[in-house]
Amino acid sequence: MKILLYMPSHIEKRNANQALTSVLLRCLAQKAEISYASKWPSEWKTYDVIHVFGCSGRQGPRLIRKAKHERIPTVLSPLGDLQPWNSLGHGLGSTKPMRIRQRQMTIDASAVHLCSVWEQQHFEQLKWNPRTQLIQNTAITSMTSEAQMADSMLRLYQKAIDSNAYAQIGTMQRRAILLLLQAGIDAEKTDNPAYKAETDHIIPVLTQTDWRNICLYAYDEQILDLIQIGLKRIQFIAPNIVVEDIERFPSTYHYEKKHLESKALPDNLLKARTSRIIEEGEDTNVRELVTMVLHIRHEIRHHNMPLLHLADLYRKMKFTDYDEDEFYDMTVQLGIDTFTARLVSILEEELGLTEGFHPIEARQDKETKQLTKNIIKL
């Protein structure tokens, strides 16, 4: 792990703050690649995590914002700067602009390190960031040893990194996830020479860190079992990563752990017209498929759709027999034909649903791209 400790010079002047970074540098030197800077270093993009101390200057908020843009996890230690008696001055101009900067900086941070119970209690009242960790500074308390403090901070760095798995998945890792998912839901994929060539090119070069992030993402999106099936089908042994043993902050995504509903309509669509249109359908599989599309639309609107549900839709479209004309007519009657066409485009582009299994002509447009991002979240 490569760590940057960034403490601006006006924060560095306080003895307790100097002591904090000195302990971290000394105690973590044998466990990580750790560096210290009081000015913004040119190589800041090369770090795995950036720890910013204090929030009463201009460069700290900027560094955290830039790091977030570059998908680098950050830890913020306010060091008392947010306490009421420390809320004035410090070169930020008037109190209001300073408070706006501090709030945004805190929101942008991947995690917030608090040094005392008093600081923790006040910070929780602000409700700016729930991802907090209390690790007391040995320079101001004897309740913890230097080694304990350093070890706790190292775990916090790893926790911040693991809690940002989505942000750290790049283009190649994203493609690896989708290739393995394809194999997991459709064994026929592995017989395709083009699929095999792409898989052989990407999967073997993934690093331990890549696999860790992939497993964290797959676990959250409820496709880890399918990824593991895909690995078996392509006969590749990936590192054994036990996601349940990895400490993380609560995810921003909240999903029910279940497959995509195909029987009952979403609660907001229990209207007479919608129910009647679906109930009058002669083909049971058509009724179920339309119900699944309606659930996906509802989940996307409420930001609670796991990627598993796209895989469920793929399997329903490919592995069940249904009347495609009736399906199309029903989507038109319900006003979801355009939405369905975009879903079919995503199924084709991301999961490889071939044209012969398209119940409706795929639609690729600006809205399709945004829909893809909302579903895959990468």
Side-chain angles (χ1 to χ4, degrees), residues 64-101:
I64 285 184
R65 185 174 67 251
K66 291 282 189 180
K68 182 179 179 181
H69 180 73
E70 295 294 331
R71 301 183 174 189
I72 302 171
T74 55
V75 173
L76 169 64
S77 294
L79 299 180
D81 283 343
L82 298 179
Q83 302 291 74
W85 51 86
N86 286 331
S87 61
L88 299 174
H90 299 302
L92 280 174
S94 67
T95 303
K96 187 175 180 180
M98 176 186 72
R99 209 62 172 170
I100 291 172
R101 284 191 182 91

Side-chain angles (χ1 to χ4, degrees), residues 263-331:
K263 307 294 184 184
L265 287 170
D267 291 341
N268 69 319
L269 290 177
L270 295 176
K271 297 179 181 178
R273 180 177 179 274
T274 302
S275 297
R276 178 175 53 78
I277 290 171
I278 294 178
E279 288 171 1
E280 289 178 353
E282 297 180 2
D283 189 327
T284 301
N285 285 330
V286 167
R287 295 198 301 268
E288 291 183 357
L289 192 52
V290 169
T291 299
M292 293 171 81
V293 172
L294 288 170
H295 271 284
I296 285 180
R297 186 180 66 164
H298 177 77
E299 290 174 347
I300 289 171
R301 287 176 174 176
H302 291 82
H303 309 288
N304 60 359
M305 175 189 166
L307 186 53
L308 171 66
H309 290 182
L310 188 69
D312 290 337
L313 186 65
Y314 176 104
R315 287 185 287 199
K316 187 69 173 178
M317 282 190 175
K318 181 166 183 181
F319 300 122
T320 59
D321 294 325
Y322 62 95
D323 187 326
E324 293 187 3
D325 291 334
E326 182 182 338
F327 174 79
Y328 174 74
D329 291 341
M330 195 177 289
T331 62

Side-chain angles (χ1 to χ4, degrees), residues 38-50:
S38 58
K39 294 183 179 180
W40 197 327
S42 58
E43 73 282 3
W44 65 275
K45 292 183 182 181
T46 65
Y47 290 91
D48 297 315
V49 61
I50 296 175

Side-chain angles (χ1 to χ4, degrees), residues 7 10-11 14 16-17 20 51-57 76-88 90 98-99 102 106 112-123 126 128 134-135 137 140:
M7 181 177 286
H10 70 281
I11 302 293
R14 306 173 201 167
N17 297 342
L20 174 59
H51 188 167
V52 175
F53 295 87
C55 51
S56 58
L76 169 64
S77 294
L79 299 180
D81 283 343
L82 298 179
Q83 302 291 74
W85 51 86
N86 286 331
S87 61
L88 299 174
H90 299 302
M98 176 186 72
R99 209 62 172 170
Q102 289 177 331
T106 305
V112 179
H113 158 233
L114 303 167
C115 287
S116 70
V117 174
W118 290 106
E119 186 179 35
Q120 181 185 42
Q121 290 175 344
H122 173 69
F123 185 81
L126 295 174
W128 287 353
L134 173 62
I135 303 174
N137 183 359
I140 57 177

